[in-house]
Amino acid sequence: MNGKNDLITGVSHDLRTPLTSVLGFLEYIEQDRCQEEVEIRYYVNIAYNKSLVLRKLIDDLFEYTRVNSGEYPLVMERLDLKAFIRQLAEESVPELTKAEMTYEIDDQAGELWIEASPKELVRAYENLITNAIRYGRSGGKVEIGFSKKGNEAVVRISNFGEMIAESDIPFIFERFYRAEKSRSQHTGGSGLGLAISKSIIERHNGVIYVESSPLRTDFITYFPFFIES
Ligand SMILES: Nc1ncnc2c1ncn2[C@@H]1O[C@H](COP(=O)(O)OP(=O)(O)OP(=O)(O)O)[C@@H](O)[C@H]1O
Ligand SMILES: [Mg+2]
């Protein structure tokens, strides 16, 4: 685990980059250097989009520190994991459609009840589904698998795009880490998504890991079953 200083260093850099360009464009306008209105509009639009990136980063950072500190106890309840994930999948249909993708459910399990805080768990799976869409577009579909293993519920989120390089796998859950390809493709992420998902899942006594091959990428999560007490 990295220390607090590493977090601050990483954050400062990631906040400064979009802020520098916002300031650059605004300064240009402020100094009346634009010749025409369309030019002003153009720069305002860029500054606006960079500001959105900044806001997402700040929101994610807030979420990351929140789920990582023990100060906020999760409010746990008995949760029907399959119904919960199915609903999330339905809610991602607009995003899937935009990417010309569909989703399929591979159901190998009976009921899967766990103890969870739905509010946090939504965040964890939204990140996984968004990633499957963002990075798996070429495969045309996202597959969601349900199964049981011993006393644990297993949920798998899979996509069929390009594989994650073996050299990236050990770092993929680290905060701010983005694989070389994604960094160069300007997909606009901050690299906090999987770090947040992992923290949330671990706070539910769950486990997450990834497997990737040229055919498919699977994010696999395990949770202990809910036990009546
Ligand atoms: N399903 C996937 N298929 C292929 N690569 C993936 C997948 N999910 C994540 N990755 C790789 O792991 C990196 C880290 O993912 P993570 O969700 O933490 O950050 P991000 O998506 O880049 O940004 P953010 O989630 O903060 O918007 C991604 O940049 C991408 O390179
Ligand atoms: Mg992500």
Side-chain angles (χ1 to χ4, degrees), residues 21 43 57 83 88 91 94 111 116-117 146 171 180 189:
S21 57
Y43 288 125
L57 182 57
L88 275 184
E91 284 166 11
E111 292 188 3
S117 162
F146 299 120
F171 307 106
E180 195 58 58

Side-chain angles (χ1 to χ4, degrees), residues 70-130:
E71 286 163 44
Y72 295 86
L74 303 189
V75 184
M76 304 292 244
E77 59 184 64
R78 184 171 177 261
L79 182 84
D80 179 347
L81 186 59
K82 270 164 60 169
F84 174 83
I85 302 278
R86 277 178 191 277
Q87 191 185 331
L88 275 184
E90 265 315 298
E91 284 166 11
S92 59
V93 165
E95 205 185 335
L96 281 160
T97 310
K98 222 185 271 172
E100 295 177 349
M101 294 174 87
T102 54
Y103 80 87
E104 274 170 29
I105 302 256
D106 172 24
D107 191 350
Q108 312 270 351
E111 292 188 3
L112 301 177
W113 290 89
I114 64 164
E115 197 178 10
S117 162
K119 185 172 150 268
E120 317 297 332
L121 216 55
V122 162
R123 193 68 190 252
Y125 281 99
E126 269 175 2
N127 284 335
L128 296 180
I129 295 173
T130 305

Side-chain angles (χ1 to χ4, degrees), residues 163-175:
M163 77 181 281
I164 303 175
E166 220 169 298
S167 55
D168 286 321
I169 294 277
F171 307 106
I172 211 97
F173 293 101
E174 282 183 13
R175 59 200 182 200

